[in-house]
Amino acid sequence: MPRRTGSTASPGSALARWRLRTQRLTGPHVDDAAAVVDHLLAVQAENPARTAWAVASRTTRRDPDDLTQLLASGRVLRTHVLRPTWHYVARDDADRLLALTGPSIRTVSLRMLTTDLGVPVRDVERLTGALLDLLEESPARTRPEVAAGLAARLPDLADDLRGQVLGTLLQVAEADRLVVGGPPRGGEHTWSTWGQVVRARVPADEVDRAELGAWVARRYVAGHGPATAGDLAYWATLRPTEARTALEAGDLRRTEVDGRAYWHLDEPPADEPAQPRAHLLQVLDETYRGFQESRWLLDERGVVPRGRERSLGMVLLDGQLVASWRDRRTASTVRFEVSPHRALAAAEVAAVEEAAQRYAAFLGLAGKVSVATG
């Protein structure tokens, strides 16, 4: 990988900074939320209030209403398309993506529903039929409305809708491209039938997995690269051999670093300071959750505790994870409490404070920052 004369950047940290540029966290940013979702193909979205910043931080607008309006219009959906986990995905990409990933999501979700939660297959089929009838009659139903509607139609199964059963049933139906996330209503997520929202549907017996795999590989790398086959396999719920084949068929470039193959579309960016230098993000962000095999390029020094994430907030500085953070909000202010994993120089603290103020401005709150020392 090319470096400036005198550069001390390691190949791994150079890859991490390259990813920031690919993901549009450093310039050039994209214009709006629609361009972010299109560029990344799918954006992890468990907590809409938190993940809205994951989208906005990659744009020049940073408008809280931008993503909200896309979800209301149906141009962007919040639904299960990978692993299975909530994601934002463009309506025009949803069918092709789920045609590839749906079978794996269905296997995981159906096993949880029938084996772990003990719902017989015949009851899954009855509940799914009733769900489709309910949403055909009355689309854009919230989870409580779906639960009430199913209980009214199948009173003998009402008790089975408690706990995780309903959510898992909906995941199976999403994987089968029968239902999909609808427009939010009153701040609550809704579901509609696939035909009401997406309409397009490649029949299962016409799915060309090799062709779709190459398409997904190219789109993933375009928004996340450089990335490995293991990263793609995790992100898209593919078998390792399937991921390697997809990358090889995707008309992509390949770079070897420390004995590992990284796939990419563009050339490495110039080895010079990128802007902005620091970012306050969540571990749900695609720059972290979008990888598995090479995720820890974010921590070349090995200063971050491994294992289960101890904090949802992460501070990136020059492409490296240097601190965790949490926030405390009032009606008018947000205080960011930053806990570094290593000592930060004054210029680094200033960059982190500037990143916190960008986030506060997005929230429409006055920002305050405290950085722990010692």
Side-chain angles (χ1 to χ4, degrees):
M1 294 176 61
R3 297 190 203 167
R4 258 184 336 187
T5 302
S7 170
T8 59
S10 69
S13 63
L15 283 171
R17 292 201 308 276
W18 186 354
R19 285 178 177 173
L20 293 188
R21 182 176 181 273
T22 302
Q23 291 210 358
R24 302 300 188 250
L25 282 166
T26 58
H29 301 301
V30 296
D31 291 338
D32 54 26
V36 173
V37 177
D38 177 70
H39 181 64
L40 293 174
L41 182 55
V43 180
Q44 194 154 339
E46 272 88 341
N47 185 328
R50 296 288 186 179
T51 51
W53 175 239
V55 175
S57 62
R58 291 165 162 85
T59 73
T60 55
R61 293 174 58 179
R62 299 192 189 123
D63 181 353
D65 292 331
D66 192 6
L67 180 62
T68 299
Q69 292 169 358
L70 288 170
L71 291 165
S73 71
R75 287 181 57 196
V76 167
L77 312 174
R78 179 174 176 264
T79 195
H80 291 84
V81 291
L82 301 170
R83 291 195 292 283
T85 305
W86 289 107
H87 281 80
Y88 298 125
V89 62
R91 177 177 57 201
D92 291 345
D93 287 328
D95 188 64
R96 294 185 75 186
L97 182 55
L98 264 176
L100 179 71
T101 64
S104 295
I105 295 173
R106 186 183 199 278
T107 297
V108 172
S109 299
L110 186 61
R111 181 171 59 241
M112 181 184 298
L113 191 60
T114 58
T115 302
D116 298 343
L117 299 175
V119 181
V121 171
R122 65 180 180 277
D123 288 345
V124 173
E125 294 172 350
R126 292 177 63 204
L127 286 165
T128 301
L131 172 66
L132 294 177
D133 290 342
L134 170 67
L135 295 179
E136 286 287 356
E137 294 174 9
S138 183
R141 295 296 92 192
T142 66
R143 181 167 176 153
E145 290 169 344
V146 169
L150 292 180
R153 283 167 169 75
L154 298 172
D156 60 311
L157 298 181
D159 289 344
D160 291 337
L161 298 173
R162 296 173 182 171
Q164 299 180 57
V165 170
L166 179 56
T168 310
L169 175 75
L170 288 162
Q171 285 182 21
V172 173
E174 287 171 297
D176 284 337
R177 291 177 287 161
L178 298 175
V179 307
V180 69
R185 180 158 51 80
E188 289 193 65
H189 184 83
T190 72
W191 282 265
S192 295
T193 69
W194 186 266
Q196 290 162 341
V197 176
V198 183
R199 302 181 185 89
R201 192 177 192 281
V202 178
D205 59 358
E206 295 180 15
V207 170
D208 185 331
R209 289 192 63 83
E211 178 184 340
L212 285 178
W215 173 76
V216 167
R218 186 173 178 84
R219 291 287 301 275
Y220 169 72
V221 168
H224 295 74
T228 69
D231 294 326
L232 173 61
Y234 162 77
W235 187 84
T237 329
L238 300 176
R239 297 185 300 275
T241 54
E242 194 172 26
R244 287 193 295 272
T245 299
L247 287 165
E248 290 166 355
D251 191 23
L252 300 165
R253 301 176 182 181
R254 173 175 166 161
T255 295
E256 295 278 344
V257 176
D258 295 333
R260 182 179 284 169
Y262 291 86
W263 300 81
H264 54 98
L265 277 179
D266 55 352
E267 290 294 332
D271 188 9
E272 58 190 24
Q275 294 298 326
R277 186 181 178 189
H279 303 82
L280 265 65
L281 300 167
Q282 299 284 317
V283 294
L284 301 178
D285 190 272
E286 287 295 309
T287 197
Y288 179 91
R289 194 64 77 195
F291 307 90
Q292 186 181 65
E293 183 176 40
S294 65
R295 176 179 294 167
W296 289 109
L297 290 178
L298 290 172
D299 182 27
E300 281 269 284
R301 297 190 188 183
V303 299
V304 181
R306 297 298 194 262
R308 184 174 179 84
E309 292 89 2
R310 299 186 181 185
S311 172
L312 286 178
M314 63 178 188
V315 178
L316 297 185
L317 182 72
D318 299 327
Q320 293 294 291
L321 204 172
V322 299
S324 63
W325 65 269
R326 61 180 181 176
D327 62 321
R328 300 182 185 278
R329 303 185 193 185
T330 69
S332 59
T333 66
V334 55
R335 173 178 289 278
F336 297 98
E337 299 175 349
V338 177
S339 301
H341 297 304
R342 64 167 176 80
L344 301 179
E348 294 177 322
V349 171
V352 172
E353 290 174 340
E354 192 276 332
Q357 293 300 335
R358 289 199 309 274
Y359 195 175
F362 172 76
L363 297 172
L365 300 172
K368 300 180 180 181
V369 188
S370 62
V371 179
T373 58

